[in-house]
Amino acid sequence: MIRSILLDKRPVGKPLLTDFQFVSEEKPAIQAGEILLKTSYVSVDPYLRGRMKDAKSYAPPFELQKPMRSGVIAEVVESMHSGFSVGDHVSGMLEWKEYQTSKGEGIYKVDANKAPLSAYLGVLGMTGLTAYLGLSEIGKPKKGETMVVSGAAGAVGSVAGQIAKIEGCRVVGIAGTDEKTEMLKSEFGFDAAINYKTTGNMRKAIDEACPDGVDVYFDNVGGSISDAVLVKINQFARIVVCGVISVYNETSLPQSLSVQPFLVKNSALMQGFIVTDYTSKYPVAMKQLSQWLAEGKLTYTETIVEGFDQIPQAFIDLFDGKNKGKMVVRI
Ligand code: NDP
């Protein structure tokens, strides 16, 4: 028998363990043209919260009583498919199951000799691509500019900040613990970092950390943190609206700054970003991220939780900031 995790209830507010259900089922058997995949690593991501709602978005909602799915790294343990051999590792949007079959559609091989497998869910996966493409397509950081990134110690934020450093920017990160703000400066080379939970006055903290104003804002969180940054933007600033984790669990529409005056008077650009709009650019982005990693210009951290039964808790913990870098579950 194998285990599988279903969405049992649509969460109201912060997700609870009781919103998920573990079920046991027969280990699936493959047929001609299929492979059997054994799950190795499961990615938990804030955007999954949006798919747990029954609301229109860029990705369809998860169905109740059906398996959750996210980025997964799996090993091919049986193959009746000409394109995959036993022992291959693959990445894809797969179900939260210990074993599952696949016809090979929408999955691609990853090389365990080139990078640790978990990296293909982070810096060499969706979150690394998000950081790279959010900046290359919208943020466009230039040498000498100041970039602020929120959610800075997370998977996307920590890579986005380092890329802006590579491009020659002054980089200021916003994160939720002193340990994280220290890490941003000592491990990732950020110029300054603000703990939004203890700073007391975010606007003053941004003023002090960004004496020349803000040219690029890579926003992963939205809400009042972003309001404090938006009042400090410079002429022709670019704001990458990548995520709004501070409102994902809200049950009513949040109150926010009226941003239009700040955009108009600064001729600024504020644009929503969804990484899957740029799939044609993934190969170029992957090549550059891999090269920076190999050259030691880019580094990454991850929080690896152990065990299939811990997947729901690891997901919930994202909303309490329990992760540094990419949150991944090893099975
Ligand atoms: P992270 O690794 O950044 O994990 C989430 C982090 O968010 C936590 O560690 C926590 O850090 C912070 N956080 C949680 N609650 C709040 C809050 N109320 N206010 C401020 N910060 C909070 O996740 P990802 O890097 O995977 O994702 C970051 C953002 O990017 C998310 O909003 C996500 O939805 C978005 N995203 C968007 C994509 C796109 O295509 N548009 C693709 C991938 C991600 P702390 O301790 O600092 O609070």
Side-chain angles (χ1 to χ4, degrees):
M1 298 295 274
I2 64 142
R3 286 177 299 169
S4 167
I5 305 174
L6 315 183
L7 176 63
D8 194 43
K9 298 184 201 79
R10 298 206 182 277
V12 180
K14 195 171 134 188
L16 302 170
L17 286 176
T18 49
D19 296 326
F20 302 91
Q21 190 192 358
F22 284 77
V23 292
S24 290
E25 57 195 44
E26 292 291 332
K27 191 170 168 183
I30 54 168
Q31 297 176 346
E34 290 186 341
I35 48 179
L36 183 65
L37 295 172
K38 179 174 190 277
T39 299
S40 309
Y41 290 91
V42 172
S43 175
V44 287
D45 303 272
Y47 79 87
L48 299 172
R49 178 66 184 87
R51 296 194 64 188
M52 294 168 90
K53 293 179 189 168
D54 190 15
K56 183 179 170 285
S57 186
Y58 59 91
F62 291 122
E63 288 179 56
L64 287 173
Q65 314 310 328
K66 293 275 172 62
M68 292 284 298
R69 71 172 48 229
S70 67
V72 165
I73 304 291
E75 185 182 348
V76 178
V77 290
E78 289 175 26
S79 180
M80 290 172 71
H81 187 299
S82 57
F84 296 91
S85 308
V86 170
D88 283 348
H89 292 98
V90 300
S91 176
M93 290 296 290
L94 295 167
E95 293 181 334
W96 289 5
K97 288 185 170 182
E98 289 172 305
Y99 289 83
Q100 58 201 292
T101 60
S102 167
K103 292 183 169 45
E105 288 156 7
I107 62 172
Y108 61 93
K109 288 186 208 174
V110 293
D111 189 345
N113 296 314
K114 289 205 175 135
L117 286 173
S118 55
Y120 293 101
L121 295 176
V123 66
L124 293 177
M126 192 265 288
T127 56
L129 291 168
T130 297
Y132 181 91
L133 290 165
L135 285 179
S136 59
E137 297 296 318
I138 301 172
K140 300 188 169 76
K142 292 183 204 66
K143 194 170 173 354
E145 290 188 329
T146 297
M147 180 173 105
V148 174
V149 52
S150 56
V156 173
S158 58
V159 174
Q162 290 181 79
I163 294 173
K165 281 303 298 176
I166 292 170
E167 300 297 342
C169 293
R170 173 178 172 78
V171 175
V172 177
I174 304 172
T177 66
D178 288 344
E179 196 189 346
K180 290 183 181 184
T181 55
E182 272 315 304
M183 175 187 78
L184 293 175
K185 290 184 281 185
S186 62
E187 286 180 38
F188 297 130
F190 284 41
D191 298 282
I194 299 165
N195 179 342
Y196 71 91
K197 288 190 179 155
T198 57
T199 195
N201 186 335
M202 266 306 285
R203 286 196 190 189
K204 186 159 166 275
I206 298 284
D207 263 336
E208 285 167 5
C210 308
D212 298 326
V214 178
D215 300 294
V216 181
Y217 177 38
F218 196 108
D219 189 7
N220 286 312
V221 306
S224 59
I225 293 172
S226 298
D227 292 350
V229 181
L230 288 165
V231 301
K232 278 292 289 178
I233 56 173
N234 290 334
Q235 190 183 26
F236 302 125
R238 286 84 63 201
I239 297 128
V240 187
V241 187
C242 175
V244 273
I245 193 168
S246 73
V247 305
Y248 290 168
N249 292 328
E250 294 292 328
T251 48
S252 56
L253 278 178
Q255 298 288 312
S256 267
L257 180 78
S258 177
V259 295
Q260 291 87 342
F262 298 95
L263 299 179
V264 171
K265 74 180 176 194
N266 293 299
S267 308
L269 172 78
M270 186 175 196
Q271 188 176 332
F273 171 84
I274 297 294
V275 66
T276 47
D277 290 340
Y278 302 93
T279 48
S280 66
K281 300 195 171 162
Y282 286 4
V284 172
M286 279 293 274
K287 194 165 167 229
Q288 182 63 84
L289 289 164
S290 306
Q291 190 185 325
W292 281 333
L293 275 175
E295 292 169 351
K297 290 183 177 164
L298 184 64
T299 181
Y300 66 97
T301 188
E302 35 189 30
T303 300
I304 299 189
V305 174
E306 299 284 342
F308 186 79
D309 54 339
Q310 293 302 310
I311 298 171
Q313 187 63 55
F315 168 66
I316 292 167
D317 284 348
L318 289 169
F319 299 96
D320 291 323
K322 298 254 176 83
N323 60 309
K324 279 185 281 179
K326 182 76 193 88
M327 182 81 111
V328 179
V329 183
R330 179 161 42 210
I331 311 304

